[in-house]
Amino acid sequence: MSGAARIGIGGPVGSGKTALIERMLEAFAADGTEVAVITNDLATDEDAERLRRGGRLAPERILAVQAGACPHTVIREDPTLNMAAADRLERQFPGLELILIESGGDNLASTFSLDLVDYWLFVIDVAGGDDIPRKRGPGVLQCDLLVINKTDLAPHVGVDFPAMLATAQAAREGRPVIASDCRRGAGVAEVIARLRRDVLFTAVAP
Amino acid sequence: MSGGAGELPALLLALRLGDSGFPGGGFAFSWGLETALRDGRTDRRALGDWIGSEIDLRWVPFDAPALAGGWRASGAAALADWAARVDECHWAEAPRRASHEAGMALLTATAAMALPSAAALREAAATGRLRAHLPVMQGALWRAAGLDLPTALALSGLGAARGLASAAVRLGALGAIGAQALIAGLEPRIARAAAGPPPEGALPEGFPAVSDVALLRPAPDRLFVN
Ligand SMILES: Nc1nc2c(ncn2[C@@H]2O[C@H](COP(=O)(O)OP(=O)(O)O)[C@@H](O)[C@H]2O)c(=O)[nH]1
Ligand SMILES: [Mg+2]
């Protein structure tokens, strides 16, 4: 693979995409992985600003790309601006290993173009309802890794989490599903282990 | 495009390069329209005038000559010279930066598609040897792809009109049906400018004051690049 691996992070607004990235950046800062982030917020640079404030990454490694009121288009039908931003980051930081591209958030039909990313995650959350995996949206089915976030909220929103997880696993027919709680950081190490194995090819042999 | 079956390959090429589905990042630029709508400088009823003025005051006097120079330039050095002159013709930084960013996006996509010349242009632009202004890049790329100058101009003009109309649709200020009527109304002006290309060496000029001011206005919560 030439250049940094490009990882898409999609999923509905509010499911915890930025929270997951914040957690991943902590881990990458600790182990020295060279990373950069591109955000696609709908109308602001809020996610980018939040990540910059987090201080885990030099501010110039975080770029915000405007989606022209169309978060779908900018990751699939016309991912040009994200490609250009990723190219710019690679040129500026030659040792870059990983570029995380956060979608502005969209419905369950959104998918990433493989022109843009090498691998993509779809983040849904427990509070969004346990029927989400049953709806079999292309995002849930086609992503390389499905993350079900906010497991901590299951008792508060009346969701039978083991059942939701089982539905998701059945819908995915054996492709990976990871449960996470980004409030406390649970599941994040598993997500990173997946990326190491499937994308970075730096998994440590057991 | 008047004639028979022999012209169909050229027609298909133009349709493909000019298709609204051709990726190039242009959909995320509103060229000041988003800010203007928000500030009440234009509205649903005045939208036709706004987009018409963008064609008359920006595309015809500025973009069309910039494109023609890019189409006519032979060789990397001549193209870089022309692009530098176009760069100097921008009176303000915001439109200059936007034009460069949009051109760079077009180069990114076309280089990924391996269109003729695109990779070399992209490399020159990324290393600072070429100012990648959008109309100049359109001229250079479309000539390399095999379009004649009037067709390249027509594609650019129609693309500008359609881009603005589609931004207006996504901003909720125009319907998709109404957008077609608006674009159709601009076609004669675009055709006229494309049929009589700017003379050799004609420098871009013009001052679309209202929309440039909209481009200069700070817009913290914007959906579009500009
Ligand atoms: N309880 C709980 N809240 C979370 C978790 N992950 C994210 N949140 C909160 O959910 C909200 C949306 O998260 P955010 O990362 O901005 O979502 P995004 O729109 O997908 O990027 C924020 O208030 C987060 O603090 C989680 O695992 N548990
Ligand atoms: Mg976010």
Side-chain angles (χ1 to χ4, degrees), chain A residues 17-19 41 47 50 102-104:
Chain A
K17 299 178 293 299
T18 309
D41 272 359
D47 282 347
R50 185 169 137 199
E102 182 187 343
S103 160

Side-chain angles (χ1 to χ4, degrees), chain B residues 17-22 51 55 155-168 170 179-180 183 186 190:
Chain B
L17 295 174
D19 194 293
S20 65
F22 188 97
I51 297 180
I55 295 302
L155 244 65
S156 169
L158 190 66
R162 191 190 48 227
L164 290 163
S166 103
R170 271 171 287 134
Q180 288 303 312
I183 294 167
L186 295 171
I190 295 168

Side-chain angles (χ1 to χ4, degrees), chain B residues 114-197:
Chain B
L115 289 199
S117 302
L121 293 174
R122 176 176 167 272
E123 188 57 27
T127 52
R129 283 175 284 132
L130 173 68
R131 291 295 291 167
H133 288 293
L134 179 65
V136 181
M137 295 304 102
Q138 289 174 330
L141 286 166
W142 290 345
R143 172 166 196 167
L147 293 188
D148 59 35
L149 179 54
T151 308
L153 285 165
L155 244 65
S156 169
L158 190 66
R162 191 190 48 227
L164 290 163
S166 103
V169 169
R170 271 171 287 134
L171 287 163
L174 180 67
I177 306 289
Q180 288 303 312
L182 202 155
I183 294 167
L186 295 171
E187 279 173 8
R189 303 187 216 170
I190 295 168
R192 210 175 313 124

Side-chain angles (χ1 to χ4, degrees), chain A residues 184-198:
Chain A
R184 288 163 194 78
V188 177
E190 269 177 274
V191 170
I192 289 177
R194 268 280 159 190
L195 295 184
R196 292 214 170 289
R197 210 189 73 184
D198 295 347

